[in-house]
């Protein structure tokens, strides 16, 4: 059962601009934007950016939203994504009511609904930074706002496409959830398909064939054991490997013994490792099992999601910590995400990038997804401070 809503006067302590932000987040969360279906939310966002004073607002052919604030060289590039995962059992997923959730100091006001912390609230907090600063004071640099599409399926039509077009800046920030901590990146990922061969026959006479699914078992057992020998990083955590999918050819819709079985692997790597090294490690395991069993198998790299990293003493990290502290009164936690974010492509393109965002990543993709209102409004003010620091003239500092 969905949590009960709270009274509207729960927002009485917030400023008109902060209340406007909360209400707009509720509106966009109430508007579904599954991957590939972001057009309406992109339109809503573009309209609001215009009202907030942004210039050069565009929605490209894919649905990515780009806008600018200030004058001078592009100094800070903001990124978040507009799509969300399917409801996946969440009750009333687009009912973006205000609720109370447990917090360290007691009940906390929050917005619930699919896509709140992953990551419509975070994106709108970035857009509304304009409400908490004077754009006319941004004379030393431009704030480049980007909200991309199809992030949840690792599509290249989002940030990679924007970067290919030449949209970039001196510094970058991702608004993926950090609970207002300052994040330095995340592990990298490669996806690998291992295809185990067999020989087909009619399913009524399986002895005439060589079932590729059964032949895949020793490979699966070897992959299950591999994480025991993988390295770990103090900040980024352990390297991991897991199976994320198994498919056979032909499928089970026909009465045929499978002639091939494909195993999809997800390998997360840490600083000190490389995608090439991880692929070679998997290939060696496949070759060893193939030699031991006599079963034929091949390895194919499907995708690389780069590791994202920035030095802890980088100027941008220091400025991010200062911006958070100036709004919250506390020194933020410095950490990393467990999952990957699209800003990794900004980092790979040579843009030093950090993460600061409202919400707890533990609630992303869950039936309890929500974002605390206080973190939402504080995040927007933090972005405003960082924009002023990096793009403001002397009078703004």
């Amino acid at each position: 059962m969905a949590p009960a809503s709270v009274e509207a006067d729960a927002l009485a302590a917030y400023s008109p601009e902060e209340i406007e932000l909360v209400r707009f987040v509720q509106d966009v969360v109430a508007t579904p934007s599954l991957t590939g279906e972001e057009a309406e939310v992109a339109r809503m966002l573009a309209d609001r950016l215009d009202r907030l004073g942004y210039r050069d607002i565009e929605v490209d052919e894919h649905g990515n939203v780009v806008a600018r604030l200030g004058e001078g060289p592009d100094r800070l590039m903001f990124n978040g994504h507009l799509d969300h995962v399917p409801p996946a059992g969440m009750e009333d997923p687009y009912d973006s009511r205000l609720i109370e959730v447990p917090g360290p100091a007691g009940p906390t006001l929050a917005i619930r609904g699919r896509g709140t912390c992953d990551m419509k609230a975070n994106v709108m907090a970035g857009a509304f930074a304009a409400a908490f600063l004077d754009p006319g004071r941004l004379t030393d640099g431009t704030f480049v706002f980007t909200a991309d599409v199809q992030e949840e399926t690792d599509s290249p039509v989002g940030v990679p496409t924007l970067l290919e077009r030449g949209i970039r800046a001196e510094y970058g920030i991702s608004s993926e959830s950090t609970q207002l901590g300052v994040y330095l990146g995340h592990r990298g990922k490669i996806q690998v398909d291992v295809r185990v061969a067999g020989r087909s026959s009619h399913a009524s006479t399986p002895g005439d064939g060589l079932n590729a699914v059964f032949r895949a078992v020793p490979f699966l057992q070897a992959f299950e054991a591999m994480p025991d020998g993988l390295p770990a990083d103090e900040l980024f955590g352990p390297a991991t490997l897991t199976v994320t999918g198994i498919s056979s050819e032909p499928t089970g819709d026909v009465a045929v013994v499978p002639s091939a079985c494909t195993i999809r692997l997800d390998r997360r790597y840490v600083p000190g490792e490389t995608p090439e090294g991880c692929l070679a490690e998997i290939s060696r395991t496949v070759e060893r099992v193939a030699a031991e069993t006599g079963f034929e198998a091949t390895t194919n790299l499907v995708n690389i999601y780069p590791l994202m990293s920035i030095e802890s003493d980088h100027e941008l990290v220091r400025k991010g910590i200062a911006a958070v502290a100036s709004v919250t009164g506390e020194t933020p936690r410095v950490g990393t995400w467990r999952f990957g974010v699209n800003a990794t492509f900004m980092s790979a393109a040579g843009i030093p990038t950090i993460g600061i965002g409202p919400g707890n990543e533990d609630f992303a993709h869950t039936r309890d997804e929500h974002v605390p209102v206080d973190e939402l409004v504080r995040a927007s003010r933090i972005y405003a401070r960082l924009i002023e620091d990096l793009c403001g003239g002397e009078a703004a500092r």
Side-chain angles (χ1 to χ4, degrees):
M1 183 176 181
S5 59
V6 298
E7 296 299 323
D9 61 8
L11 294 175
Y14 292 95
S15 72
E17 294 82 5
E18 292 169 340
I19 293 173
E20 183 182 357
L21 166 59
V22 171
R23 295 309 188 196
F24 187 61
V25 169
Q26 289 182 285
D27 287 344
V28 296
V29 171
T31 306
S33 57
L34 291 162
T35 301
E37 302 173 13
E38 303 95 339
E40 178 58 20
V41 166
R43 183 198 62 77
M44 294 169 66
L45 174 57
D47 288 347
R48 187 55 60 109
L49 289 169
D50 183 56
R51 291 165 56 184
L52 286 165
Y54 286 80
R55 60 177 173 84
D56 302 331
I57 302 165
E58 68 164 306
V59 180
D60 71 13
E61 68 272 23
H62 304 295
N64 300 305
V65 180
V66 181
R68 287 176 165 81
L69 200 66
E71 301 296 335
D74 292 344
R75 289 275 283 167
L76 179 63
M77 180 175 175
F78 172 96
N79 179 253
H81 62 85
L82 297 176
D83 61 325
H84 60 75
V85 297
M90 186 178 197
E91 184 177 345
D92 296 328
Y94 307 115
D95 178 5
S96 55
R97 72 185 74 177
L98 295 174
I99 61 170
E100 287 187 340
V101 297
T108 298
L109 188 66
I111 307 170
R112 55 93 58 194
R114 176 59 78 230
T116 45
C117 73
D118 190 24
M119 58 178 300
K120 292 181 178 180
N122 312 43
V123 171
M124 305 314 150
F128 267 77
F132 303 111
L133 53 77
D134 178 2
R137 299 171 72 186
L138 304 184
T139 58
D140 280 8
T142 295
F143 173 56
V144 183
F145 175 91
T146 69
D148 65 336
V149 298
Q150 301 187 37
E151 185 269 356
E152 295 292 359
T153 56
D154 293 345
S155 170
V157 303
V159 163
T161 293
L162 296 180
L163 292 167
E164 288 174 5
R165 286 177 48 197
I167 297 173
R168 56 189 63 229
E170 186 175 349
Y171 301 111
I173 183 167
S174 168
S175 62
E176 290 271 10
S177 292
T178 69
Q179 293 183 285
L180 303 186
V182 176
Y183 279 16
L184 308 186
H186 55 71
R187 297 171 296 175
K189 176 180 77 173
I190 65 169
Q191 291 175 300
V192 177
D193 279 350
V194 176
R195 191 173 188 272
V196 182
R199 187 178 69 238
S200 64
S201 70
H202 198 287
S204 65
T205 56
D208 293 341
L210 298 172
N211 195 312
V213 174
F214 293 151
R215 287 185 158 212
V217 171
F219 294 93
L220 290 167
Q221 292 172 329
F223 297 145
E224 186 178 21
M226 280 183 69
D228 293 340
L230 298 181
D233 181 88
E234 184 177 354
L235 182 61
F236 286 75
T240 60
L241 181 143
T242 193
V243 173
T244 58
I246 299 178
S247 60
S248 62
E249 303 171 29
T251 67
D253 294 334
V254 292
V256 178
V257 169
S259 59
C261 179
T262 300
I263 304 165
R264 172 64 60 88
L265 299 175
D266 179 302
R267 170 68 158 88
R268 306 286 165 136
Y269 64 93
V270 298
E273 296 187 294
T274 65
E276 295 79 13
C278 295
L279 178 61
E281 179 184 58
I282 292 169
S283 296
R284 286 194 297 270
T285 299
V286 171
E287 291 166 1
R288 174 179 59 78
V289 174
E292 292 171 352
T293 60
F295 298 162
E296 180 185 348
T298 56
T299 304
N300 179 54
L301 177 65
V302 176
N303 183 40
I304 298 176
Y305 205 83
L307 181 144
M308 176 180 168
S309 178
I310 185 173
E311 295 297 326
S312 60
D313 61 351
H314 192 282
E315 175 192 13
L316 180 61
V317 176
R318 295 197 301 270
K319 288 182 178 295
I321 291 172
V324 174
S326 70
V327 173
T328 67
E330 300 177 355
T331 301
R333 181 175 67 90
V334 175
T336 60
W337 289 287
R338 290 192 305 275
F339 52 67
V341 306
N342 258 2
T344 192
F345 298 107
M346 294 157 59
S347 178
I351 304 171
T353 303
I354 59 172
I356 302 173
N360 186 335
E361 65 182 300
D362 289 345
F363 292 108
H365 299 192
T366 73
R367 65 180 62 190
D368 298 316
E369 187 176 358
H370 66 271
V371 66
V373 169
D374 194 51
E375 286 187 22
L376 168 67
V377 299
R378 286 185 171 194
S380 196
R381 290 188 176 276
I382 289 165
Y383 300 145
R385 293 292 178 89
L386 193 56
I387 293 166
E388 286 181 338
D389 189 6
L390 291 172
C391 303
E394 288 300 323
R397 295 192 177 97

